[in-house]
Amino acid sequence: MDVVQFSKEIRRQTLRCLHSQGSGHVGGSLSIVDVLAVLYSKHMHVDPKQPKMADRDRLVLSKGHAGPALYATLALKGFFPEEWLDTLNKLGTRLPSHVNVNLTPGVDMTAGSLGQGLSCACGLALANRLKGVKRYVYVITGDGELQEGQNWEGAMFAAQKQLDRLIVLVDSNKLQIDGATKDVINVEDICAKFASFGFDAQRVNGHDFDALDQAITAAKSAQNGKPQCIVMDTVKGKGVDFYEAMGAGVHSTTVTDEQYAAALEELK
Amino acid sequence: MELRKEYVNELARLMRENDKIVVLDADLAGAGGTKPLYKEFPDRCIDVGIAEANMACIAAGLAAEGFVPFIHSFVPFVARRALDQIAVSVCYSEQNVRIVGFDPGVHTTSNGGTHMSFEDIATMRAFCNIAVLDVVDGVQLRKALPYIVEHKGPLYMRFVRKQTDELFDESYQFRFGKADKLADGDDLTIVASGTMLFDALEATKRLQGEGYSVDLLGIHTVKPLDEEAIVASARKTGRVLTAENHSIHGGLYGAVTEVLSARCPTLCDAVAVRDKLTQVGSLNDLKRDYGLTADDIYVRAKKLLATK
């Protein structure tokens, strides 16, 4: 499956997962689908049969509420049966709304209380260094999430410790629950902020597969003692017109039978 | 020997044996006493700067990869400043992080007020699966450390950096989750944790001198609590007094009365901080002001005994 088809299938399975619950974090799940498609088709060194393989790349989904998009990706890669996607948030599920390292094969860190993922990823990167594992640690954060001050503690630490195998991917969909990020608390210029914290920072269209691929390739090959940041300009609810048109309300919204059918029609 | 010296010496010994132990500090490696480890283990000692929340999560990441990180600071910074990080990235995430708080409660003395915490046991104890330790002296600390490294799950411990008093000798054996029986008696049970054990011992001797027989239980593991020892003692004496360098809300008194109310309803009282603001002062003045002295234990013990 090429990356275009893979991303389409991740969107379909993400909505399947959310539809099983009838609602959920639709917008921020759909906005990261394309980077997940690029990562898991071209970059992540992982083995679905050995999800805890020592010599693997790690992904910390710091915006843990986008779990459904990661679950769809992992299910399609064969980490667990696709039927699990129909169990989102049901008591005893392996797929909680926010990601949990102890429940889901392929999930490398628990997240959900925003702002903690970058720090945890620093710990994973340090662990790799101590063990001599030369693999990458990816972190996906939201742009609104960068309002949490702990991110900047993590950023300073990553630069100080020269964690150049740490790659921060910022999902800049420009919306948060209470409105446009620029109207709530402006986080821009994200690239300049990370650069000033000692990162190499790039900005790309987060729905352009080639641009994402090139940016990730460049970040991996930098190896210059600087942690890496890629700010991805994205659209919340990407791929489904009526979700894209919802604005901030798409953060957590319904996936009714009718909406699900209409979305699948659009994602054919 | 100062507890921080006992601590760092034993930790160094364990780090030589076990390459999974990692030490993290938040700009208090010098004050806390871990500084010498940075020379011997430069790769496994990490000063994160003044960023305790970051430290807790970095530790969670290290633990997720099989390391056993020890994070250190004064009690309120390591246990309160990083509370949500401990809740989510450590406890909910079931990571083997060791959270080490220096100078609990009144031991903060001249740094009191902002640096003083009377609620750490209560908050930590409420998290799922975390072990909570209140250490009394250097021997207990040293004897506990090998176990603490091996313990499965998150663990919080508090101890006084500079204290030099000693209760136990080399024959002491640390048993996780078990009370230390320091006196045997039928009239009254005193349950004391951490450094309050010194005061409890003094009060016990005074009561014994007056002809009372006291069951004295030293508690280092507040969670999981040695329920059997407490229930057995309460059944025997019918009166229980707790003593802790902590708020009366949710600490040792809370833990003991939770057990007794369900299994052996018993008249209890507490020597603890009764909802009073933190403040600066000398150790003795603070203990007097908060009612945490051997005298306070004696007076409350006599009141409990008078109800029999």
Side-chain angles (χ1 to χ4, degrees):
Chain A
M1 200 185 314
D2 72 7
V3 67
V4 179
Q5 284 308 311
F6 186 39
S7 113
K8 209 172 250 187
E9 190 56 31
I10 296 173
R11 280 201 168 80
R12 283 194 282 260
Q13 296 295 336
T14 300
L15 287 163
R16 165 189 173 174
C17 185
L18 290 160
H19 174 250
S20 75
Q21 183 72 11
S23 65
H25 296 105
V26 175
S29 292
L30 291 176
S31 63
I32 63 162
V33 165
D34 294 327
V35 72
L36 288 173
V38 171
L39 281 172
Y40 281 86
S41 62
K42 299 183 182 234
H43 293 283
M44 289 294 287
H45 180 71
V46 288
D47 179 356
K49 302 292 168 237
Q50 304 177 71
K52 295 285 184 193
M53 176 176 75
D55 181 37
R56 72 183 192 279
D57 291 328
R58 273 86 171 160
L59 177 91
V60 178
L61 185 59
S62 189
K63 45 174 286 182
H65 56 280
L70 181 58
Y71 301 151
T73 309
L74 293 172
L76 288 167
K77 292 295 287 185
F79 278 85
F80 49 81
E82 288 180 21
E83 292 70 37
W84 287 21
L85 296 173
D86 302 322
T87 69
L88 184 74
N89 289 344
K90 293 182 171 63
L91 187 67
T93 186
R94 305 290 293 272
L95 306 185
S97 194
H98 302 79
V99 292
N100 181 319
V101 66
N102 297 310
L103 289 178
T104 316
V107 168
D108 291 315
M109 199 64 217
T110 297
S113 179
L114 294 176
Q116 299 187 22
L118 177 49
S119 304
C120 292
C122 286
L124 298 181
L126 272 178
N128 278 346
R129 180 179 283 174
L130 286 170
K131 290 195 277 194
V133 173
K134 294 193 185 306
R135 288 292 170 193
Y136 296 95
V137 179
Y138 298 92
V139 193
I140 301 179
T141 72
D143 53 353
E145 182 180 2
L146 296 177
Q147 292 161 355
E148 290 281 7
Q150 189 183 342
N151 285 295
W152 307 103
E153 296 182 3
M156 274 186 277
F157 180 85
Q160 179 75 24
K161 299 297 174 190
Q162 303 189 327
L163 300 177
D164 56 8
R165 291 178 183 274
L166 179 74
I167 301 173
V168 179
L169 301 150
V170 181
D171 176 29
S172 179
N173 61 35
K174 297 159 193 71
L175 291 171
Q176 58 189 107
I177 298 176
D178 280 348
T181 303
K182 69 176 167 52
D183 295 331
V184 179
I185 290 291
N186 190 15
V187 293
E188 295 291 355
D189 179 344
I190 301 172
C191 248
K193 283 191 172 74
F194 272 97
S196 76
F197 274 75
F199 281 58
D200 276 341
Q202 328 169 47
R203 188 154 203 144
V204 299
N205 176 345
H207 302 303
D208 179 330
F209 300 109
D210 289 337
L212 284 166
D213 184 27
Q214 284 165 19
I216 293 167
T217 302
K220 283 164 71 177
S221 57
Q223 295 299 295
N224 55 0
K226 296 169 85 172
Q228 303 291 308
C229 174
I230 301 170
V231 181
M232 308 177 296
D233 285 311
T234 59
V235 175
K236 209 160 182 174
K238 178 69 179 179
V240 180
D241 284 348
F242 59 87
Y243 282 135
E244 289 187 25
M246 279 179 78
V250 77
H251 178 84
S252 180
T253 189
T254 57
V255 185
T256 62
D257 293 347
E258 295 73 26
Q259 286 172 314
Y260 183 45
L264 288 185
E265 186 64 29
E266 200 176 329
L267 290 166
K268 263 186 179 165
Chain B
M1 196 190 295
E2 286 188 353
L3 264 72
R4 60 181 166 186
K5 286 189 179 140
E6 290 270 17
Y7 178 74
V8 76
N9 290 346
E10 182 63 2
L11 200 55
R13 188 185 72 77
L14 293 164
M15 286 178 83
R16 284 176 209 123
E17 289 176 359
N18 183 341
D19 64 3
K20 294 296 183 197
I21 301 172
V22 180
V23 165
L24 294 102
D25 289 284
D27 201 39
L28 288 172
T34 53
K35 197 97 182 178
L37 298 172
Y38 283 69
K39 254 191 184 161
E40 186 173 352
F41 310 100
D43 295 337
R44 286 192 282 146
C45 291
I46 300 145
D47 196 327
V48 306
I50 308 160
E52 296 80 7
N54 194 35
M55 175 167 68
C57 287
I58 290 169
L62 285 161
E65 294 294 330
F67 288 94
V68 183
F70 283 68
I71 65 174
H72 308 85
S73 189
F74 291 130
V75 165
F77 307 140
V78 78
R80 188 170 67 201
R81 184 67 179 255
L83 202 58
D84 185 54
Q85 288 74 13
I86 290 169
V88 175
S89 290
V90 176
C91 290
Y92 173 62
S93 187
E94 300 178 69
Q95 303 299 347
N96 282 336
V97 176
R98 279 74 183 101
I99 302 154
V100 183
F102 301 129
D103 293 358
V106 287
H107 293 285
T108 316
T109 62
S110 55
N111 279 331
T114 57
H115 291 39
M116 194 174 278
S117 167
F118 290 129
E119 67 292 306
D120 54 317
I121 301 273
T123 48
M124 289 295 147
R125 201 168 70 82
F127 292 138
C128 182
N129 276 339
I130 190 170
V132 178
L133 270 61
D134 193 2
V135 176
V136 62
D137 75 355
V139 172
Q140 186 176 73
L141 179 62
R142 172 156 46 83
K143 300 263 184 174
L145 266 177
Y147 171 80
I148 287 167
V149 170
E150 298 300 325
H151 179 78
K152 296 286 174 245
L155 183 147
Y156 170 68
M157 63 191 292
R158 51 165 15 206
F159 63 82
V160 184
R161 289 176 301 152
K162 294 182 183 173
Q163 172 201 317
T164 53
D165 290 350
E166 281 176 13
L167 182 63
F168 295 114
D169 61 26
E170 283 305 316
S171 66
Y172 177 73
Q173 288 190 320
F174 174 82
R175 295 174 304 153
F176 176 75
K178 296 291 178 197
D180 293 317
K181 188 72 165 279
L182 295 166
D184 200 23
D186 301 321
D187 296 332
L188 171 74
T189 302
I190 300 179
V191 185
S193 67
T195 53
M196 289 306 292
L197 204 42
F198 292 110
D199 305 281
L201 205 57
E202 192 181 323
T204 296
K205 283 175 185 160
R206 197 166 154 196
L207 290 163
Q208 286 168 336
E210 294 177 14
Y212 295 104
S213 80
V214 177
D215 228 26
L216 177 57
L217 299 178
I219 299 291
H220 45 69
T221 313
V222 183
K223 183 184 176 183
L225 190 66
D226 189 346
E227 296 189 10
E228 298 311 319
I230 286 163
V231 169
S233 181
R235 282 208 176 107
K236 186 170 62 164
T237 67
R239 297 289 183 275
V240 175
L241 178 65
T242 62
E244 63 192 305
N245 168 25
H246 185 273
S247 167
I248 194 168
H249 304 298
L252 181 68
Y253 181 61
V256 167
T257 52
E258 282 162 18
V259 173
L260 292 181
S261 61
R263 294 185 54 188
C264 179
T266 306
L267 188 60
C268 296
D269 193 12
V271 168
V273 177
R274 284 174 154 73
D275 218 29
K276 189 165 181 177
L277 283 177
T278 53
Q279 60 191 323
V280 293
S282 72
L283 181 60
N284 286 339
D285 286 348
L286 287 165
K287 287 186 73 152
R288 263 196 299 278
D289 197 63
Y290 288 114
L292 301 180
T293 64
D295 274 351
D296 293 299
I297 296 173
Y298 170 81
V299 169
R300 286 188 185 273
K302 288 296 288 277
K303 279 186 186 162
L304 267 181
L305 285 162
T307 63
K308 287 188 102 168

